Amino acid sequence: MTAKRGKSRKTLSHEMMNEVLAEPAPDLDVDVEGANDRDIDEEGHAPPTRRPIEPGKDNAERSTLLTRAEQLMRIAASLGVAAAAILGVIEYSNANEDNRRERSLEIVRDWQAETNVQRYTSVQEFVESKVTEPTLKAQLQVLSPEALPDAQANLGRAWTAALRDSSAPQDRQIERDIDRLMLFFAQMEICIASELCNAEVLRAYFDLEVSSFWTYFKGYAELRQSANYQGYGDPVARLVERFAAMPDP
């Protein structure tokens, strides 16, 4: 479809066409720089050039302050968490230490309330009755300090071997007392090694008893180990070494 024409166009006369053709054509080679120079105002100043608007300093500084504040808050939160964790560890450690002390005091009470004291007294009297014999006492006195521990261990082995061969009720009771004391001291070492008992508390109560007992009945432990009782007395040996290595209070 074609659009309908409106008014008819006026036909150009020959005179009009000659006038149009006679007019000079615009110069396409106009100097661009010259044209730009004409845009300069009368005072000789170029029109201001619009520059892109830069972000305001206030907004940048505000963003920086917010970022720093967030970082400080995060650091403070991290420090708070770390402090709470350290406090929790300290409280947990203190609670565990209190439990270890209480467990150690229970062992002391068991020693005093049960028959362990009587057992130890009976065994001690047995040893004293042997070492106070004039002949043996003289032999022990001439030994050097280095040779004395081995001699005492050998005596304990010989005495307990004789007890096992004896049928006398008193001798068999002494052997049972030695076994019970060996077990009691072994359990003490296991409790300390498991961090369930306090070594300082137990050393204050049992250092002398453990060391004097082991002096002679180390040989008995060796005798039981040779009879296929593997590991017999080893915890007591470790307990003696532990107490000896600890500094004096």
Side-chain angles (χ1 to χ4, degrees):
M1 296 179 64
T2 57
K4 294 182 179 181
R5 294 182 180 179
K7 297 179 180 181
S8 60
R9 295 181 179 180
K10 186 177 181 179
T11 305
L12 295 177
S13 62
H14 293 286
E15 291 79 7
M16 294 176 65
M17 292 180 61
N18 292 331
E19 291 178 359
V20 171
L21 294 174
E23 291 181 359
D27 190 1
L28 298 179
D29 298 331
V30 177
D31 187 2
V32 178
E33 294 181 357
N36 291 337
D37 291 342
R38 285 194 297 271
D39 294 336
I40 300 176
D41 58 8
E42 296 177 356
E43 296 179 359
H45 297 288
T49 304
R50 296 188 63 184
R51 298 180 179 178
I53 300 175
E54 298 180 355
K57 293 184 178 180
D58 293 340
N59 294 334
E61 292 178 356
R62 188 178 296 110
S63 300
T64 303
L65 291 176
L66 290 175
T67 303
R68 292 179 179 175
E70 291 177 355
Q71 292 176 351
L72 291 176
M73 291 178 64
R74 291 177 182 176
I75 293 173
S78 300
L79 292 176
V81 172
I86 293 173
L87 182 60
V89 170
I90 293 174
E91 292 178 351
Y92 178 78
S93 178
N94 291 336
N96 283 345
E97 185 60 29
D98 292 339
N99 292 334
R100 283 192 289 267
R101 291 180 181 275
E102 181 58 30
R103 181 70 184 91
S104 302
L105 293 176
E106 288 180 4
I107 293 177
V108 175
R109 288 191 289 268
D110 291 343
W111 173 267
Q112 296 173 345
E114 296 182 0
T115 58
N116 287 316
V117 173
Q118 288 90 2
R119 289 172 181 151
Y120 184 81
T121 302
S122 299
V123 172
Q124 197 73 0
E125 290 175 352
F126 170 78
V127 173
E128 290 179 358
S129 67
K130 298 292 186 179
V131 297
T132 55
E133 292 179 356
T135 303
L136 182 58
K137 183 178 180 179
Q139 292 175 349
L140 293 174
Q141 288 177 347
V142 298
L143 291 176
S144 64
E146 293 78 10
L148 183 60
D150 290 337
Q152 291 170 329
N154 292 333
L155 287 173
R157 184 186 297 106
W159 296 338
T160 51
L163 291 175
R164 304 192 73 180
D165 294 337
S166 175
S167 59
Q170 185 177 0
D171 293 342
R172 302 306 298 268
Q173 182 62 45
I174 291 295
E175 184 182 9
R176 286 194 293 270
D177 290 341
I178 295 172
D179 282 329
R180 295 295 182 86
L181 292 172
M182 192 77 71
L183 177 61
F184 182 86
F185 293 138
Q187 290 175 338
M188 187 183 303
E189 165 59 22
I190 293 172
C191 188
I192 295 174
S194 301
E195 297 185 354
L196 299 176
C197 291
N198 184 283
E200 288 79 6
V201 172
L202 294 176
R203 180 178 183 266
Y205 280 96
F206 296 104
D207 187 17
L208 180 61
E209 286 78 3
V210 173
S211 60
S212 60
F213 175 82
W214 188 249
T215 297
Y216 286 97
F217 298 109
K218 173 185 177 181
Y220 177 68
E222 295 172 353
L223 181 66
R224 294 297 300 270
Q225 289 181 6
S226 63
N228 296 325
Y229 202 136
Q230 186 177 4
Y232 184 91
D234 288 346
V236 183
R238 292 194 295 269
L239 182 63
V240 173
E241 294 176 356
R242 181 190 298 274
F243 286 170
M246 293 173 61
D248 294 330

